[in-house]
């Protein structure tokens, strides 16, 4: 009133400035390093509670049907495939509502039992029964818990993923192929109790916008930032429609107040919504209690695998697992031989004269970074934003060209120029293909917060482009990477749970079945390995993936 700025205003400004500086810091963080993200989130939250967050960041309740079918209507054939995919990944439940946490699955009180003798023979199978119990130590009577399993021999660097079958009565059977001799340990882990999976299911349907995005618009001296997403409420404010004319993939931003829709400069992850679940629901996501916790053995937790019996009928095991580690080297079970490309010159020799295109999220970028390092590639776009790309690098001596480009929205990268926001399908359409062309695709992680239909639609477009490329040039090598397991905590589970990845993984496998592409089974390659789960798998696993890809490009010559 009297022209003086009140003291509280100074504090407010101070807070706002420090909040802004923090935000800048966060933008430079690795886009998928969620652990760090959440730590910063906590700090950010304490700032947020000091004053109201800017209005732009909060979308209002988009609804599931609205979001899933935003974009082109699927054809009858596509709709049928979608229905089949949805029913193939249907998860049982909710079986009970409002169950007290004491009655939910407790991994520490549950147990597994190895069936049969403790001595087995290589070439056979191992069956393990899992009995889930609640915190009171009483058996569960319904299924739906998310379990993962592996059999491993640490001294041999050997490990294989098991197949889990849910009997829907609180018991599960896990099947492992027996692929090496020696002592092998069984490891069963409960990732989530069924009660937590129900919460994830609810979030998937009710909160598809729990990760939000923003764009900077700029013209002359004016700059504005608005919120963007696959689905924004239609009746709130005017929208800018960035629906892709080629694929029909939807994308929208709120229209800036003063600028036109054509002044969009860049795209970035806005952040993660908070307060997504109730206190009751949070009980099912407790670190050290019921989130990625091993289930103990009732008695014996290991078996001795003896040499194959004479005259033993060989069981084909490739329906259980895609491959296994031995001496830390991945061996596919489909009969194909993997070579090891231990030296730069071996890799360069295999890729000589080739044009390697990589498309997707940061798990595809890991391959680019690996090849760039081992081949000492020369980068041709040196000023490309770090971690975002696009990248283009060459080995002039061996005439190798390697490129990386991130996939289109909903990419959660820190800042992508609008002009570089391309869809993988459209990029594939520009490629000539042929025996000198290698295409690597990894698209999964950034779809975890959206209804599965959104992912199905994206894969449909990519598959259409892959089929067209292979029809033109059947000798083109196309490699598709599946989802992998990652480190998850109570908060990150709500955005990046392995359960979301599992569902997307199943859809991807089904949609590329029977197509002449090489699948890199990142799921099993991370599950079977002893190294900790990480959204960006450790180097040893990346090396194994590269060996697989190169073995596919440059197979062992038949003698
Ligand atoms: C969700 O959106 C669809 C399509 O716009 C609409 O028909 C339906 O009534 C909405 N449902 C709710 C619960 O708002
Ligand atoms: C956005 O544009 C696409 C393609 O031009 C169109 O099909 C869609 O209906 C538009 N969305 C809205 C909300 O107007
Ligand atoms: C987006 O573009 C603006 C204007 O060029 C720039 O200041 C900003 O750092 C860019 N990135 C993000 C995340 O806003
Ligand atoms: C077996 O799997 C590997 C790894 O996925 C692949 O490179 C190879 O082409 C497959 N071989 C056959 C015969 O299917």
């Amino acid at each position: 009133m009297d022209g003086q700025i009140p003291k509280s205003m100074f504090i407010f400004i101070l807070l706002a400035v420090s909040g802004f500086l923090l935000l800048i810091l966060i933008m430079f963080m690795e886009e998928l390093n969620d652990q760090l993200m959440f730590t910063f989130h906590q700090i950010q939250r304490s700032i947020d509670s000091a004053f109201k967050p800017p209005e732009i960041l909060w979308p209002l309740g988009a609804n599931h049907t609205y979001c899933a079918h935003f974009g082109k209507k699927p054809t009858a054939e596509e709709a049928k495939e979608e229905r089949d995919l949805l029913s193939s990944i249907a998860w049982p439940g909710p079986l009970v509502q409002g169950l007290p946490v004491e009655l939910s699955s407790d991994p520490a009180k549950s147990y597994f039992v190895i069936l049969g003798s403790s001595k087995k023979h290589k070439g056979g199978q191992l069956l393990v029964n899992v009995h889930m119990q609640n915190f009171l130590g009483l058996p569960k009577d319904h299924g739906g818990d998310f379990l993962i399993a592996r059999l491993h021999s640490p001294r041999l660097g050997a490990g294989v993923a098991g197949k889990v079958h849910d009997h829907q009565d609180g018991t599960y059977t896990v099947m492992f192929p027996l692929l090496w001799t020696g002592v092998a340990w069984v490891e069963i882990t409960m990732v989530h109790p069924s009660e937590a999976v129900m919460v994830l299911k609810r979030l998937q349907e009710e909160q598809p916008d729990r990760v939000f995005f923003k764009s900077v618009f700029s013209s002359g001296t004016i700059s504005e930032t608005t919120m963007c997403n696959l689905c924004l409420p239609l009746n709130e404010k005017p929208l800018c429609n960035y629906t892709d004319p080629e694929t029909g993939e939807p994308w929208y931003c709120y229209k800036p107040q003063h600028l036109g829709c054509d002044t969009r400069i860049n795209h970035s992850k806005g952040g993660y919504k908070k307060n997504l679940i109730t206190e009751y629901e949070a009980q099912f996501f407790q670190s050290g209690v019921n989130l990625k916790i091993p289930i103990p053995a009732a008695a014996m937790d290991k078996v001795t695998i003896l040499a194959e019996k004479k005259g033993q009928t060989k069981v084909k095991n490739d329906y259980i697992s895609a491959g296994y580690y031995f001496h830390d080297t991945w061996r596919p079970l489909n009969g194909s031989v993997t070579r090891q490309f231990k030296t730069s010159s071996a890799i360069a020799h295999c890729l000589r004269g080739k044009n390697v295109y990589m498309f997707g999220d940061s798990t595809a970028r890991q391959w680019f970074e690996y090849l760039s390092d081992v081949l000492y590639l020369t980068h041709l776009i040196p000023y490309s934003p770090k971690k975002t790309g696009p990248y283009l690098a060459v080995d002039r001596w061996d005439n190798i060209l390697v490129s990386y480009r991130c996939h289109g929205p909903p990419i959660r990268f820190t800042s992508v120029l609008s002009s570089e926001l391309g869809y993988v399908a459209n990029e594939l359409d520009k490629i000539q293909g042929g025996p000198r062309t290698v295409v690597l695709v990894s698209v999964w992680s950034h779809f975890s917060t959206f209804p599965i239909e959104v992912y199905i639609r994206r894969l449909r477009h990519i598959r259409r482009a892959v089929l067209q490329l292979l029809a033109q040039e059947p000798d083109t090598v196309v490699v598709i990477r599946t989802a992998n397991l990652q480190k998850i905590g109570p908060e990150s589970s709500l955005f990046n749970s392995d359960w979301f990845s599992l569902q997307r993984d199943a859809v991807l496998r089904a949609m590329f079945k029977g197509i002449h592409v090489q699948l890199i089974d990142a799921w099993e390659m991370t599950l079977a390995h002893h190294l900790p789960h990480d959204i960006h798998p450790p180097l040893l696993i990346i090396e194994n993936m590269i060996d697989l890809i190169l073995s596919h490009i440059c197979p062992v010559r038949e003698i």
Side-chain angles (χ1 to χ4, degrees):
M1 283 293 205
D2 56 8
Q4 279 216 325
I5 301 168
K7 204 190 228 161
S8 62
M9 195 52 137
F10 275 116
I11 297 171
F12 177 87
I13 290 168
L14 199 72
L15 274 172
V17 167
S18 57
F20 179 70
L21 288 176
L22 193 67
L23 216 70
I24 298 256
L25 191 63
I26 289 168
M27 280 169 187
F28 283 100
M29 303 301 299
E30 159 78 84
E31 75 288 343
L32 271 173
N33 197 336
D34 282 325
Q35 277 319 108
L36 274 169
M37 253 318 287
F38 286 113
T39 317
F40 275 100
H41 237 37
Q42 278 160 2
I43 306 168
Q44 208 185 339
R45 179 184 300 158
S46 55
I47 293 169
D48 280 353
S49 56
F51 63 98
K52 273 196 174 317
E55 170 231 8
I56 59 150
L57 299 180
W58 302 100
L60 291 167
N63 90 40
H64 176 57
T65 26
Y66 159 76
C67 187
H69 300 292
F70 222 26
K72 240 187 244 164
K73 217 175 133 71
T75 64
E77 202 182 327
E78 289 166 350
K80 182 184 182 305
E81 181 186 34
E82 189 170 296
R83 278 196 305 277
D84 292 346
L85 288 167
L86 290 176
S87 70
S88 76
I89 59 165
W91 200 268
L95 299 146
V96 268
Q97 300 271 6
L99 192 75
V101 72
E102 300 77 52
L103 302 185
S104 72
S105 305
D106 176 5
K109 291 238 165 61
S110 304
Y111 58 92
F112 69 80
V113 178
I114 292 175
L115 300 188
S117 142
S118 66
K119 293 199 173 18
K120 309 277 177 194
H121 288 272
K122 186 182 158 191
Q125 289 172 353
L126 172 64
L127 293 179
V128 176
N129 277 347
V130 185
H131 299 261
M132 295 305 292
Q133 306 208 125
N134 62 28
F135 285 82
L136 306 178
L138 299 169
K140 295 276 297 191
D141 60 7
H142 62 80
D145 298 311
F146 175 22
L147 309 181
I148 53 175
R150 115 183 151 100
L151 181 73
H152 65 118
S153 298
R155 279 209 303 202
L156 296 171
V160 67
K163 203 167 222 66
V164 180
H165 177 73
D166 183 349
H167 295 292
Q168 308 283 340
D169 60 359
T171 70
Y172 300 75
T173 298
V174 185
M175 200 191 272
F176 296 103
L178 296 170
L179 301 163
W180 62 86
T181 59
V183 180
W185 277 263
V186 171
E187 190 182 278
I188 314 275
T189 303
M190 185 188 82
V191 182
H192 292 302
S194 60
E195 294 79 14
V197 175
M198 291 315 112
V199 176
L200 299 176
K201 263 174 115 168
R202 179 182 75 71
L203 288 179
Q204 180 155 292
E205 288 174 13
E206 295 174 9
Q207 305 274 354
D209 51 357
R210 62 195 183 280
V211 169
F212 49 95
F213 302 87
K214 58 186 184 176
S215 271
V216 174
F217 296 77
S218 178
S219 176
T221 53
I222 311 175
S223 177
E224 289 181 65
T225 303
T226 74
M227 206 186 65
C228 310
N229 220 321
L230 265 173
C231 35
L232 292 173
L234 282 172
N235 41 12
E236 297 269 309
K237 288 183 244 172
L239 298 180
C240 291
N241 184 350
Y242 298 110
T243 298
D244 179 56
E246 265 82 37
T247 58
E249 286 284 356
W251 191 255
Y252 295 87
C253 296
Y254 283 121
K255 191 184 168 303
Q257 259 183 333
H258 307 290
L259 296 172
C261 294
D262 56 356
T263 61
R264 184 175 61 148
I265 303 271
N266 55 21
H267 159 94
S268 58
K269 174 182 66 187
Y272 297 82
K273 265 192 172 181
K274 291 162 216 158
N275 306 322
L276 291 167
I277 58 173
T278 62
E279 259 173 54
Y280 163 72
E281 290 172 325
Q283 300 177 96
F284 304 116
F285 294 90
Q286 295 180 59
S287 288
V289 177
N290 52 13
L291 185 54
K292 251 195 202 182
I293 302 290
I295 292 170
M300 184 174 72
D301 64 349
K302 59 179 191 283
V303 290
T304 303
I305 309 169
L306 307 169
E308 250 161 283
K309 264 192 286 192
K310 278 210 180 73
Q312 178 179 337
T313 44
K314 263 243 194 295
V315 204
K316 259 193 74 68
N317 277 321
D318 58 356
Y319 66 96
I320 308 179
S321 312
Y324 66 107
Y325 286 103
F326 194 74
H327 293 326
D328 269 336
T329 301
W330 183 255
R331 300 181 175 181
L333 278 179
N334 63 2
S336 95
V337 180
T338 312
R339 293 171 57 193
Q340 280 179 278
F341 294 79
K342 287 201 181 297
T343 61
S344 298
S345 64
I347 295 174
H349 189 261
C350 172
L351 291 180
R352 185 168 294 161
K354 299 252 185 331
N355 197 342
V356 184
Y357 296 93
M358 300 185 192
F359 299 110
D361 53 34
S362 58
T363 62
R365 190 185 66 215
Q366 272 190 293
W367 291 340
F368 176 89
E369 287 161 353
Y370 181 82
L371 286 185
S372 170
D373 287 351
V374 298
L375 295 176
Y376 307 102
L377 299 179
T378 308
H379 285 235
L380 300 183
I381 321 178
Y383 300 109
S384 225
K386 207 168 171 344
K387 307 267 181 200
T388 299
Y391 301 130
L392 181 61
V394 289
D395 170 346
R396 289 202 175 87
W397 189 260
D398 291 297
N399 197 16
I400 303 166
L401 197 64
V402 186
S403 60
Y404 165 78
R405 186 175 272 285
C406 71
H407 68 69
I411 190 100
R412 291 183 209 159
F413 281 3
T414 43
S415 186
V416 186
L417 286 177
S418 306
S419 55
E420 301 291 0
L421 266 185
Y423 290 91
V424 174
N426 295 344
E427 295 301 323
L428 290 174
D429 285 345
K430 296 180 201 158
I431 291 178
Q432 177 65 45
R436 291 177 173 277
T437 304
V438 179
V439 175
L440 312 180
V441 178
S442 182
V443 176
W444 59 279
S445 161
H446 302 234
F447 288 83
S448 60
T449 49
F450 292 96
I452 194 85
E453 292 89 338
V454 169
Y455 187 58
I456 294 174
R457 179 175 59 207
R458 186 62 54 94
L459 290 185
R460 205 191 283 139
H461 296 146
I462 295 174
R463 183 179 61 187
R464 198 260 323 133
V466 165
L467 285 172
Q468 194 173 313
L469 183 62
L470 290 174
Q472 278 163 16
E473 292 286 352
D475 292 334
T476 313
V477 172
V478 180
V479 178
I480 313 260
R481 183 198 191 280
T482 69
N484 61 258
L485 289 138
Q486 57 187 300
K487 184 177 177 205
I488 49 174
E491 198 169 359
S492 60
S493 289
L494 310 182
F495 304 98
N496 293 331
S497 166
D498 290 330
W499 184 77
F500 296 130
S501 307
L502 175 77
Q503 296 247 302
R504 275 139 200 82
D505 191 66
V507 160
L508 181 135
R509 286 163 198 271
M511 289 183 74
F512 281 90
K513 206 175 177 146
I515 294 177
H516 186 59
V517 298
Q518 184 194 19
L519 274 192
I520 295 296
D521 202 320
W523 186 268
E524 285 194 22
M525 290 180 81
T526 50
L527 175 52
H529 207 276
H530 62 86
L531 284 170
H533 298 165
D534 189 341
I535 174 78
H536 300 127
L539 186 62
L540 220 149
I541 295 176
I542 299 300
E543 283 171 347
N544 271 293
M545 290 176 171
I546 295 283
D547 279 345
L548 272 182
I549 296 168
L550 295 178
S551 300
H552 188 74
I553 301 170
C554 312
V556 186
R557 242 176 266 286
E558 321 247 356
I559 305 155

